[in-house]
Amino acid sequence: MDNVLSFKRGSTPLLISMPHPGILLTPAVEAGLVEEAKRLGDTDWHIPRLYDFADELGASTLEACYSRYVIDLNRPQDDAPLYASATTGLFPATLFTGEPLYRAGCEPSREERARYLAEIWQPYHQTLAAELARLKAEFGYALLFDAHSIRSCVPHLFDGLLPDFNLGTNAGASCDPQLSERLLAVCAAARDYSHVLNGRFKGGHITRHYGQPQAQVHAVQLELAQCTYMEEQVPFDYRADLAEPTQEVLRDLLQAMLEWGRERYGR
């Protein structure tokens, strides 16, 4: 498959992973979707644009180009469930609303899905793993920031309104606790925004699998409420007036990660 991912190598120990902004569909997926799904409403809209300051920080960036409706890059390849509550799988069958993703009997075949695993999931994770290994070899450690967004209200997945900044560290297992404390301090200083650590979103497969602080790889997931930077309804427009102050907080979070790494490891 072409245009599976976009990767740019940086000059600091930080890698920003963006597994869900993609909107490309395979013919088999597109042909089977219900009308509501064709709007791609569960996309992490505009995430690459929101993090367009990454170059200034010297961060590496990895961006998926295919929709999560084809295959979810933040799920393990064996499709083991990550949450006890409602969620979606490696090959999603439902929308975030809980409604079916496909018309009855129109799901991609087992052979098609095996191809998606080999040609979309594997290249993303191979690139991610290789870049973390490169960063660790060059700097002695690596920092992984897994960047996500979601509508602020999805009753099927969580009650009420989601906080603006939802940090996840796999209940403290994916990064040094001093790093998560540093990030919480940044969020607390951003008084116009709400935040939580390891609330509804504790980190998906990427955070849980690659975050190995005992091996000097520290991973953090951010699930950002989309109301902080865009219109949450069709046509899902980017709102620069909302996004600019949100970007300042995101920049502060990533700078805090880099500063913590330099203090902790001396480089």
Side-chain angles (χ1 to χ4, degrees), residues 34 57 59 76 82 84 92 157 217 232 239 244 250 254:
V34 300
L57 299 180
L82 297 177
L157 297 183
V217 179
E232 295 190 325
R239 287 275 304 276
E244 288 175 7
L250 294 173
L254 296 176

Side-chain angles (χ1 to χ4, degrees), residues 6-10 15-16 18 51 54-55 59-63:
S6 175
F7 171 67
K8 186 172 184 179
R9 179 174 291 177
L15 169 61
I16 302 173
M18 296 174 271
Y51 288 85
D55 284 354
S60 299
T61 57
L62 176 59
E63 170 192 345

Side-chain angles (χ1 to χ4, degrees), residues 170-183:
N170 192 21
S174 69
C175 76
D176 189 290
Q178 292 183 350
L179 174 55
S180 58
E181 289 172 9
R182 187 76 63 93
L183 299 180

Side-chain angles (χ1 to χ4, degrees), residues 175-218:
C175 76
D176 189 290
Q178 292 183 350
L179 174 55
S180 58
E181 289 172 9
R182 187 76 63 93
L183 299 180
L184 280 175
V186 170
C187 290
R191 300 189 182 276
D192 292 333
Y193 300 92
S194 57
H195 69 277
V196 69
L197 174 64
N198 293 315
R200 170 60 180 83
F201 297 98
K202 296 178 174 63
H205 172 68
I206 290 172
T207 302
R208 301 181 193 204
H209 179 73
Y210 295 100
Q212 301 177 26
Q214 70 281 2
Q216 291 75 54
V217 179
H218 303 269

Side-chain angles (χ1 to χ4, degrees), residues 7-242:
F7 171 67
K8 186 172 184 179
R9 179 174 291 177
S11 58
T12 66
L14 175 63
L15 169 61
I16 302 173
S17 163
M18 296 174 271
H20 292 152
I23 59 173
L24 294 180
L25 299 171
T26 64
V29 169
E30 187 170 14
L33 293 178
V34 300
E35 284 302 313
E36 178 63 25
K38 293 177 181 179
R39 299 186 176 98
L40 305 180
D42 299 335
T43 302
D44 289 10
W45 294 103
H46 311 296
I47 285 292
R49 180 176 179 181
L50 195 64
Y51 288 85
D52 64 6
F53 58 85
D55 284 354
E56 300 170 23
L57 299 180
S60 299
T61 57
L62 176 59
E63 170 192 345
C65 298
Y66 274 86
S67 170
R68 68 188 303 158
Y69 291 167
V70 177
I71 188 168
D72 192 331
L73 301 177
N74 202 27
R75 298 293 183 268
Q77 60 181 328
D78 64 0
D79 206 14
L82 297 177
Y83 293 97
S85 55
T87 187
T88 54
L90 179 67
F91 300 106
T94 62
L95 298 162
F96 284 177
T97 60
E99 299 300 317
L101 186 64
Y102 292 100
R103 291 179 286 108
C106 295
E107 300 86 355
S109 67
R110 180 177 299 180
E111 292 75 19
E112 276 287 308
R113 287 176 166 174
R115 189 164 67 93
Y116 304 160
L117 185 65
E119 299 183 19
I120 301 175
W121 194 98
Q122 290 286 1
Y124 191 91
H125 283 270
Q126 288 166 356
T127 304
L128 198 163
E131 180 61 3
L132 290 175
R134 184 191 72 82
L135 295 176
K136 186 177 174 183
E138 180 172 346
F139 297 98
Y141 67 103
L143 304 171
L144 173 61
F145 190 87
D146 205 41
H148 298 258
S149 73
I150 191 170
R151 292 191 303 278
S152 58
C153 183
V154 186
H156 180 65
L157 297 183
F158 51 83
D159 295 330
L161 286 175
L162 197 67
D164 297 321
F165 285 78
N166 299 266
L167 295 169
T169 63
N170 192 21
S174 69
C175 76
D176 189 290
Q178 292 183 350
L179 174 55
S180 58
E181 289 172 9
R182 187 76 63 93
L183 299 180
L184 280 175
V186 170
C187 290
R191 300 189 182 276
D192 292 333
Y193 300 92
S194 57
H195 69 277
V196 69
L197 174 64
N198 293 315
R200 170 60 180 83
F201 297 98
K202 296 178 174 63
H205 172 68
I206 290 172
T207 302
R208 301 181 193 204
H209 179 73
Y210 295 100
Q212 301 177 26
Q214 70 281 2
Q216 291 75 54
V217 179
H218 303 269
V220 176
Q221 175 179 294
L222 176 64
E223 193 79 57
L224 182 68
Q226 291 178 340
C227 62
T228 63
Y229 73 94
M230 61 171 278
E231 295 290 347
E232 295 190 325
Q233 304 301 322
V234 176
F236 308 116
D237 288 337
Y238 188 83
R239 287 275 304 276
D241 58 320
L242 298 175

